[in-house]
Amino acid sequence: MSREFPLERVRNIGIIAHIDAGKTTVTEKILFYTGRTYKVGSVNEGTTVMDFMDQERQRGITIKAAATTCYWHEHRINIIDTPGHVDFTAEVERSLRVLDGGVVVFDGVSGVEAQSETVWRQADRYHVPRICFINKMDRDGADFQRTIGMIQSRLGAKALPIQIPIGSESAFKGAIDLLEGKAWYFTGAHDAEPTITDVTEADQPAYLHARQTLIEKLGELDDEIMEAYLEGEEISIAELKAALRRVTLANRGVPVVCGSALRNTGVQKVLDAVVDYLPSPLDVPPITGIDSKTGAETTRPADDEAPFAALAFKVVTDPFMGRLVYFRVYSGKIEVGNQVMNTTRDKRERIGRLVLMHANHREDITFADTGTIAATLGLKSTFTGDTLCDPSNPVLLESIRFPEPVISIAIEPKTRADQDKMGEALQKLTEEDPTFWVRHDEETGQTIISGMGELHLEVIVSRLVTEFRVGVKVGQPRVAYRETITAPVKVEGRFVRQSGGHGQYGHVNVELEPLPRGKGFEFVEGIKGQAIPRNFIPSIQAGIKEAMENGVLAGYPVVDLKATLYDGSYHEVDSSELAFKMAGSIALKEGVRRGKPVLLEPIMKLEVVTPQEFVGDVIGDINSRRGRVEAMDPQGDTFIIRALIPLSESFGYATSLRSLTQGRATHSLEFYRYQEVSAALAEQIMEKSTGKK
Ligand SMILES: Nc1nc2c(ncn2[C@@H]2O[C@H](COP(=O)(O)OP(=O)(O)OP(=O)(O)O)[C@@H](O)[C@H]2O)c(=O)[nH]1
Ligand SMILES: [Mg+2]
């Protein structure tokens, strides 16, 4: 079967940005202009297609990434609209993992905000080529050039404006296309066609200057343009576009366009730029994975005829339909009824139904070919990050890594009936969200839920109540502290029992050393000779790991240490895996106790954008929360304050900032790193947590 859309005419893109930049508004307008919807959805009126969850519509923010497909100039564009709030970073992470290109949206007034920087770095990590859309050009204080400057200075990107705005703020009318040399005027009405005219006399100097600058900048990044430029040749529009495409695909530069999604200005030009400059599945390197038969690294080409390989990136439980597994096909093709191999879990699954997702609507399809982002119903054992592939050509693709939660609260069911429902609901929620963890505290009997921030947990609790109809009581937020050692130690772990008949014998010598922050756990097997038979070593490692789950100071997980097993002994008859596991655990506990243990607390990166008059109050408040101001930059009429602040001091920050600044400042909080807690404070924390336990 030939493809409806040749691969070179497919685009898989994500809309990424800081909270409130206008991603969902842009996406809604894209749906309208591509003919996907007949009415324009509005974030403010709660009528969006993409933000369809109750929680999203009520709060006016995106919580979950939503996918859709539309068509523009004979190209098929699969779009994922992602949330901007950092608490939902997992949604951005998994989207970037399966997308080929990104549209980064900026608020023309605030420019590059904290979370834009975070998603930009995430996109860098996945080598995702992107274009920038400077939105909200209609707002008071919008400034195209300043935002371009910030893209360069704050993101270190080579910004290549391919437009300049016509007018600004309330007089914003459209943009001049620097390649075509045409002016695009928009009336602001959603159903009016743009008027395309020659550049006016008055705008000529600005246009010519900007065009010249673009060609020079492009020349620095592309040899062909440089040559033509030096030869003094006239460079055609097609040549300029081709060069811009090369530069964008190689991640050497980013084309920039502008507009106002709310005022229906410039969105069509964003679509043009997506088609012109963002990659098709053929433009990105073939996906690499591990050949399950040989264990060697292998690749899978973007080709319908190649063996099927796909990555599951999202699981959603639909109350009516059951489990929906979203996946991206990297190679080959799958049809309804086919068997696939889940190489991550070594399980076979049958594809019962295939659907294309349009936010929460499903369109049944009979097959999914290379480059498609689709979902399937009925898979039982497939989870986020799993590989699905052709059973006769098994391959394992790299999974998706997610950050660990930093904040927890205890929740309790209100009634007995709520108890069972709560367990089931939490199970579904953890399946959907890899940054949401649930744990049962043995000592207090409480259920502890953990997530990325206060808003994250607040949304989960609201969903429990409204979506799953579970009555719950919620405790105070708690910090996910960690423990670690600060000095190297050598310790012995012995687990020896002689109780007539068969005894137990495990004996290990382990050296523990501190590792730098964020390094986790490392195990080194350094036994000389045959002190312990090899088959017991995995048990020792498992014993150490298990003991690390509960530290010695206040029972928090132990992190950032290296354990070297350097000696030990065994008994011909009495040694067992269990005995060695116990010995490993004993050694670890003893080692941590003697290795000058300390408590670590999560430190958050805080960024506040505030009118100048409140700068003093905001800084005073940060200082009183054990925070440290790192930088303060004026930006237009406002100030950006960057600070580090312990998570434990950040609870309720949104409310207190609102009252300090009459609601005129915005902020974002994001996990930065773990840091040692002072001895005095550690004392208090230990008292509290051991008291509670
Ligand atoms: N003035 C103006 N407001 C806009 C524009 N685009 C969006 N907005 C408004 O900005 C607010 C946020 O828009 P959204 O589209 O929800 O932003 P978002 O980036 O999707 O936000 P999150 O998904 O929560 O990160 C809404 O009130 C929009 O109406 C624009 O071009 N001009
Ligand atoms: Mg949104």
Side-chain angles (χ1 to χ4, degrees):
M1 199 186 320
S2 72
R3 298 181 60 100
E4 188 188 356
F5 276 90
L7 263 185
E8 61 268 21
R9 285 202 258 129
V10 171
R11 300 286 179 274
N12 287 315
I13 61 158
I15 316 279
I16 56 175
H18 188 85
I19 189 160
D20 267 0
K23 298 172 292 297
T24 302
T25 308
V26 170
T27 313
E28 294 290 325
K29 300 292 158 113
I30 286 179
L31 293 181
F32 180 76
Y33 290 120
T34 56
R36 177 98 240 155
T37 52
Y38 298 101
K39 263 172 65 188
V40 186
S42 157
V43 176
N44 305 327
E45 288 158 27
T47 55
T48 46
V49 173
M50 302 306 283
D51 285 352
F52 56 84
M53 286 167 62
D54 290 345
Q55 289 288 316
E56 294 182 312
R57 289 186 168 183
Q58 281 159 17
R59 294 169 193 262
I61 59 167
T62 305
I63 292 169
K64 280 196 195 172
T68 188
T69 301
C70 60
Y71 301 89
W72 186 252
H73 295 173
E74 293 176 7
H75 283 69
R76 176 158 92 188
I77 309 178
N78 300 312
I79 303 180
I80 298 187
D81 173 28
T82 65
H85 198 287
V86 66
D87 283 15
F88 311 115
T89 186
E91 294 292 284
V92 181
E93 195 74 34
R94 59 168 131 218
S95 304
L96 285 171
R97 173 73 171 75
V98 297
L99 290 167
D100 300 323
V103 176
V104 191
V105 181
F106 299 94
D107 176 334
V109 181
S110 11
V112 178
E113 296 167 272
Q115 194 57 17
S116 332
E117 192 176 340
T118 306
V119 295
W120 191 272
R121 307 276 169 244
Q122 278 172 295
D124 279 344
R125 213 157 4 93
Y126 290 105
H127 306 291
V128 172
R130 60 215 94 141
I131 58 172
C132 295
F133 176 55
I134 302 181
N135 188 31
K136 304 202 185 183
M137 287 300 298
D138 61 299
R139 280 187 62 197
D140 281 352
D143 191 329
F144 184 68
Q145 289 304 339
R146 186 182 61 221
T147 307
I148 300 267
M150 287 178 90
I151 293 174
Q152 308 201 122
S153 61
R154 204 166 164 185
L155 305 176
K158 286 264 186 307
L160 300 165
I162 56 171
Q163 295 179 346
I164 47 169
I166 306 174
S168 193
E169 305 179 338
S170 59
F172 177 62
K173 292 194 203 70
I176 296 173
D177 183 316
L178 297 179
L179 302 185
E180 298 169 350
K182 295 281 179 200
W184 287 62
Y185 291 92
F186 297 80
T187 65
H190 68 275
D191 50 359
E193 287 288 321
T195 316
I196 307 161
T197 65
D198 288 337
V199 178
T200 61
E201 198 73 29
D203 286 337
Q204 279 288 340
Y207 155 63
L208 290 174
H209 175 73
R211 187 172 204 272
Q212 181 68 15
T213 312
L214 171 66
I215 294 174
E216 282 169 19
K217 273 181 144 182
L218 201 50
E220 285 168 24
L221 301 168
D222 188 86
D223 290 346
E224 281 182 40
I225 296 293
M226 182 55 106
E227 260 169 47
Y229 178 70
L230 291 178
E231 300 286 321
E233 290 169 20
E234 183 62 32
I235 308 169
S236 70
I237 298 177
E239 281 170 316
L240 282 176
K241 278 195 176 172
L244 266 167
R245 186 168 176 84
R246 281 193 295 275
V247 165
T248 312
L249 296 188
N251 268 311
R252 289 203 300 266
V254 278
V256 184
V257 294
C258 66
S260 161
L262 189 69
R263 308 261 172 258
N264 308 298
T265 301
V267 177
Q268 293 93 330
K269 298 297 274 177
V270 176
L271 283 161
D272 286 348
V274 166
V275 165
D276 286 342
Y277 308 120
L278 290 181
S280 82
L282 291 172
D283 294 316
V284 292
I287 188 105
T288 55
I290 304 292
D291 185 319
S292 310
K293 288 180 184 159
T294 63
E297 193 171 290
T298 180
T299 56
R300 291 282 185 267
D303 181 352
D304 290 339
E305 303 306 322
F308 175 71
L311 187 81
F313 64 96
K314 191 177 166 100
V315 175
V316 175
T317 308
D318 184 295
F320 305 107
M321 311 281 296
R323 261 178 117 241
L324 261 176
V325 176
Y326 288 62
F327 62 95
R328 145 98 198 231
V329 184
Y330 283 97
S331 168
K333 177 174 164 177
I334 188 84
E335 286 175 32
V336 168
N338 282 168
Q339 286 266 341
V340 290
M341 180 76 189
N342 178 333
T343 18
T344 313
R345 305 195 187 264
D346 205 13
K347 289 234 163 77
R348 275 179 192 245
E349 300 243 50
R350 194 179 153 276
I351 301 288
R353 255 181 91 181
L354 284 173
V355 288
L356 267 190
M357 296 302 297
H358 299 297
N360 55 342
H361 293 279
R362 289 163 291 264
E363 177 190 329
D364 271 282
I365 49 177
T366 52
F367 66 91
D369 47 18
T370 298
T372 304
I373 290 178
T376 174
L377 281 148
L379 299 191
K380 289 193 185 63
S381 328
T382 299
F383 296 86
T384 299
D386 289 4
T387 305
L388 297 173
C389 63
D390 173 3
S392 42
N393 288 285
V395 64
L396 181 65
L397 305 179
E398 195 188 327
S399 187
I400 313 174
R401 260 172 284 151
F402 294 100
E404 288 189 10
V406 286
I407 162 172
S408 308
I409 45 173
I411 57 168
E412 271 174 57
K414 277 201 175 132
T415 65
R416 271 204 87 78
D418 287 326
Q419 179 137 26
D420 295 343
K421 275 203 285 182
M422 184 174 95
E424 213 174 282
L426 289 176
Q427 156 82 25
K428 284 180 182 159
L429 289 168
T430 47
E431 240 184 53
E432 282 185 11
D433 181 352
T435 53
F436 173 61
W437 294 7
V438 178
R439 166 174 84 77
H440 186 73
D441 189 322
E442 296 289 340
E443 285 167 49
T444 58
Q446 282 174 315
T447 301
I448 311 291
I449 59 172
S450 312
M452 303 306 296
E454 281 185 281
L455 181 65
H456 188 199
L457 294 182
E458 194 186 309
V459 166
I460 296 255
V461 169
S462 307
R463 288 186 64 194
L464 277 177
V465 176
T466 54
E467 217 172 289
F468 294 91
R469 310 236 165 261
V470 186
V472 289
K473 279 187 284 191
V474 180
Q476 286 301 311
R478 299 186 200 174
V479 175
Y481 292 102
R482 299 277 186 264
E483 301 183 12
T484 192
I485 56 169
T486 56
V489 273
K490 286 188 165 170
V491 279
E492 197 173 36
R494 291 172 66 86
F495 185 73
V496 181
R497 297 279 182 278
Q498 237 75 49
S499 51
H502 231 310
Q504 291 285 1
Y505 189 98
H507 170 216
V508 297
N509 291 83
V510 180
E511 175 168 21
L512 301 183
E513 290 161 90
L515 286 180
R517 283 300 75 80
K519 288 288 172 204
F521 171 57
E522 212 179 292
F523 179 78
V524 180
E525 197 263 286
I527 294 195
K528 290 176 202 74
Q530 275 292 318
I532 301 173
R534 299 210 58 81
N535 56 319
F536 291 130
I537 294 186
S539 308
I540 299 169
Q541 183 176 352
I544 293 176
K545 267 213 95 163
E546 200 175 292
M548 284 174 68
E549 284 169 22
N550 292 296
V552 302
L553 292 176
Y556 293 107
V558 181
V559 294
D560 301 341
L561 66 77
K562 175 170 147 188
T564 309
L565 174 67
Y566 67 93
D567 206 355
S569 64
Y570 76 108
H571 187 278
E572 281 293 349
V573 183
D574 292 349
S575 277
S576 66
E577 287 181 4
L578 182 72
F580 271 107
K581 189 173 169 196
M582 293 298 294
S585 289
I586 292 167
L588 190 278
K589 287 263 177 220
E590 178 62 18
V592 174
R593 215 167 279 132
R594 290 187 12 218
K596 302 209 167 66
V598 288
L599 268 189
L600 302 174
E601 68 174 341
I603 302 291
M604 309 295 279
K605 230 177 4 184
L606 168 67
E607 185 167 313
V608 183
V609 181
T610 171
Q612 188 173 358
E613 58 199 282
F614 304 117
V615 166
D617 290 344
V618 171
I619 289 180
D621 180 55
I622 292 173
N623 289 335
S624 74
R625 293 168 181 266
R626 288 198 288 130
R628 198 175 74 213
V629 174
E630 301 264 282
M632 235 176 61
D633 300 309
Q635 203 246 139
D637 301 337
T638 59
F639 266 77
I640 307 183
I641 300 167
R642 294 198 191 93
L644 295 177
I645 169 175
L647 172 68
S648 59
E649 305 284 344
S650 75
F651 295 146
Y653 189 72
T655 318
S656 96
L657 184 68
R658 207 175 299 131
S659 63
L660 271 181
T661 64
Q662 299 159 15
R664 288 172 57 205
T666 59
H667 82 289
S668 86
L669 269 167
E670 179 183 350
F671 172 69
Y672 178 54
R673 60 153 190 233
Y674 272 93
Q675 187 175 297
E676 200 176 317
V677 175
S678 72
L681 201 65
E683 200 68 37
Q684 285 176 22
I685 295 167
M686 280 167 355
E687 247 170 51
K688 253 204 207 156
S689 53
T690 36
K692 220 181 253 165
K693 276 186 159 239

